[in-house]
Amino acid sequence: MNAVVARSTIALVQVLGLAVWFSATAVGPALRAEWHIGSTTAVWLTCSVQLGFVLGAVGAAVLTLADRVRPHRLLAIATTGASVCTLLCTVADGAAAAIPLRLLTGMFLAGVYPVGMKLMTSWSGPRRRARDLGTLVAALTLGSALPHLVLAGPPLPWRVVLAVAAGCGLLAAAVTLLVVRPGPAAAPAPPPDPRYAARMLREPGPRLVVLGYLGHMWELYALWTWLGAYLGAGGLGGRSEVLVFLTMGLGGALGCMAGGRAADRWGRAPTIAAALVVSGLCCVLSPFAVSVPPVVTGLFCLVWTTAAVADSPVLTTATIEVADPRYTGTALTVQTALGFLLTVASIQLVPVVAGVTGWASALAVLAVGPIVGTLAVVRLGRAVDRLGPPAEPVEAVDDAVGGAGGVGSGATSARHAAGRAGPAPAVVDEPVVSTAGVVTGVDPDGTGEPRRPAGGADSRRPTRDGDVLDAVTAPRGLVVAPVGAAPPRSPEELDTVELYRLRRGGAPADSGFAGDTARALQGRGRSGGEVGAGRRRPEGG
């Protein structure tokens, strides 16, 4: 499959599959009127989804489902489950039945968004990872805003709105099963290691990134939940649904893509900090923006929602770059679980503040999140900025490999040349009989198509990452690593080096955001000595 088509399809699935997220929130006024419930109960129609997401994410992290189950199958099951729960809400006769269904919806959504990130990164290299994740989060914002677009048209019963959102999710499941597949950069399924969910938070790099993410999440979902009520305080009336979709959906999508591109060009930490500062200022200024002409209010909300979500894909990218690559799905799930748990508190706090100060001033309390997140990211950025000029990237070293194994020629991996422990994998240049090894690079030509073994016990299907070859004739270009060795990576992936190696006593490599972060937090420069006073150019990821 073509990489561009694959990434576009994954983004489409996210738009459709996440339409159920804010479906009950969008029809909240109608539900309150028909079910005769107060605002406190109505809030739980949203908070139950957030809490369900946390429960599902924690369960997936403990079982490492995102790494052990074929991701497109997990995504299809999750979108189907969320859609069915939303359909069942249309026959619910009150909040007592709807809230548990919304809880289950959130649990299934924990298999949609994090798994979508894993699939997107499997089709994306480090040099464009932030912009591709920006596209994915843009899809999330559009999908979350879809119910508001439905309500912006002719008046519809709330059950129809929920049914439309559920139909979008079922369509997403069908597209996933028929089209979506993991990309050539997909990591092999790891051995079970539920303790990694806790281990990653003991590492300084991931911990600072997660703290920045928590500040981002404190603001974002409360803003999305209560933006309509805030605009209603300004007397926009029926126009608020249109404005919510334009600012939250389209504006947020543009912000995500712009944030991803900015991070690839100017660096992770500066982009995250800039977005947090702008959105924090908007929180502080929000009490004054609601009383100005509607056009000015709309532009203000467009800037606000754009900045509030622009750092989301960058934070995700930073997590991928500092986490153990074997458990990327688990790392992302843990981070999102903590973030969504925090949103339960911020979503419930805003209406309490509104009861005291009024809706015009209620969203100002969200500024706490960007302030805390900025402090964490600035600390990370300053530490990296104190490093000297970057060294030249390590290049792959051609190396003749001979001996009894019969390998004519090959190359050691660049990561091995950088000091990676363990035997070097061989890049097979001619068809040979290999010793037992693990297939780790099935797309050496960058075509997106796996190689087929020239012969052996399993020559009837394409070779896949993680396959074990034992005395099998390997095709030209196939990368085979000895069993027990960590999989090698392409030279461009050396731009990111995992922080988790620090706890094993390994030294960070000489390039990349994560390697710079590791050295900065250890107080070491690129050569292993003390960090100098020079400044480095912005990292490109």
Side-chain angles (χ1 to χ4, degrees):
M1 179 185 294
N2 180 272
V4 175
V5 174
R7 290 191 291 263
S8 301
T9 306
I10 293 168
L12 175 63
V13 167
Q14 292 292 300
V15 171
L16 297 173
L18 294 171
V20 301
W21 201 313
F22 282 89
S23 55
T25 305
V27 298
L31 294 179
R32 288 197 298 268
E34 181 169 330
W35 291 345
H36 306 290
I37 58 177
S39 59
T40 301
T41 303
V43 167
W44 277 101
L45 293 172
T46 299
C47 288
S48 58
V49 180
Q50 309 296 99
L51 188 58
F53 187 97
V54 173
L55 295 175
V58 170
V62 171
L63 299 174
T64 60
L65 288 180
D67 293 311
R68 298 170 64 190
V69 179
R70 294 286 286 177
H72 65 284
R73 295 175 184 171
L74 182 59
L75 178 58
I77 293 171
T79 51
T80 301
S83 301
V84 169
C85 290
T86 302
L87 279 176
L88 291 176
C89 283
T90 63
V91 298
D93 57 358
I99 289 176
L101 288 171
R102 296 296 289 165
L103 182 75
L104 289 173
T105 300
M107 293 179 68
F108 281 114
L109 289 176
V112 178
Y113 178 43
V115 176
M117 289 190 287
K118 182 175 178 65
L119 283 166
M120 184 65 83
T121 57
S122 75
W123 287 99
S124 177
R127 299 186 190 279
R128 58 171 298 131
R129 180 178 290 149
R131 74 188 72 175
D132 288 339
L133 287 177
T135 301
L136 184 81
V137 182
L140 177 146
T141 61
L142 282 174
S144 300
L146 273 183
H148 292 282
L149 178 63
V150 175
L151 286 172
L156 293 174
W158 64 266
R159 289 181 173 85
V160 174
V161 177
L162 295 187
V164 169
C168 291
L170 293 174
L171 179 59
V175 172
T176 300
L177 286 176
L178 294 174
V179 181
V180 174
R181 292 296 183 271
D193 189 4
R195 294 173 296 178
Y196 179 69
R199 287 205 312 268
M200 66 170 285
L201 296 177
R202 294 199 296 267
E203 301 167 7
R207 189 167 60 244
L208 283 175
V209 174
V210 168
L211 186 58
Y213 181 80
L214 293 179
H216 154 79
M217 291 295 284
W218 171 267
E219 176 195 19
L220 181 62
Y221 275 82
L223 174 62
W224 282 358
T225 301
W226 300 115
L227 182 60
Y230 170 78
L231 293 173
L236 291 177
R239 292 175 295 179
S240 62
E241 295 293 346
V242 178
L243 191 54
V244 168
F245 175 76
L246 291 176
T247 57
M248 172 182 163
L250 297 181
L254 292 174
C256 290
M257 291 186 287
R261 289 184 176 274
D264 281 339
R265 181 170 183 179
W266 291 298
R268 313 304 194 218
T271 303
I272 297 169
L276 288 170
V277 168
V278 173
S279 64
L281 286 174
C282 289
C283 291
V284 174
L285 296 175
S286 61
F288 309 101
V290 76
S291 58
V292 298
V295 174
V296 179
T297 301
L299 292 175
F300 173 81
C301 290
L302 181 63
V303 172
W304 192 359
T305 54
T306 299
V309 75
D311 52 349
S312 186
V314 192
L315 286 160
T316 299
T317 302
T319 300
I320 292 172
E321 292 174 353
V322 298
D324 185 331
R326 297 171 302 169
Y327 304 107
T328 298
T330 299
L332 293 174
T333 302
V334 170
Q335 175 176 275
T336 52
L338 293 174
F340 280 97
L341 183 62
L342 188 62
T343 65
V344 175
S346 62
I347 289 173
Q348 293 193 78
L349 178 62
V350 169
V352 174
V353 175
V356 177
T357 65
W359 277 106
S361 303
L363 297 183
V365 71
L366 300 180
V368 174
I371 291 172
V372 174
T374 301
L375 292 175
V377 174
V378 166
R379 177 188 171 191
L380 185 64
R382 285 179 176 173
V384 173
D385 213 29
R386 286 196 298 268
L387 294 170
E392 292 299 319
V394 180
E395 301 292 341
V397 180
D398 291 332
D399 184 36
V401 180
V407 179
S409 64
T412 58
S413 72
R415 186 181 296 279
H416 183 73
R420 181 174 184 165
V427 181
V428 179
D429 195 35
E430 298 290 341
V432 297
V433 177
S434 71
T435 56
V438 180
V439 178
T440 58
V442 298
D443 185 27
D445 299 327
T447 61
E449 297 295 332
R451 295 278 192 173
R452 183 183 298 276
D458 195 15
S459 60
R460 293 170 294 177
R461 65 167 176 80
T463 306
R464 299 172 182 168
D465 274 2
D467 285 351
V468 175
L469 301 183
D470 189 3
V472 174
T473 301
R476 181 189 301 270
L478 187 66
V479 181
V480 181
V483 172
R489 295 199 169 193
S490 62
E492 68 176 9
E493 287 184 289
L494 297 175
D495 287 343
T496 58
V497 179
E498 303 79 28
L499 255 180
Y500 80 98
R501 297 186 182 281
L502 295 178
R503 60 181 168 83
R504 298 184 178 179
D510 286 338
S511 64
F513 174 74
D516 289 348
T517 303
R519 284 187 300 276
L521 294 173
Q522 285 189 323
R524 298 191 291 114
R526 291 184 178 272
S527 62
E530 293 299 317
V531 174
R535 294 175 61 86
R536 69 180 297 272
R537 65 173 183 240
E539 73 282 351

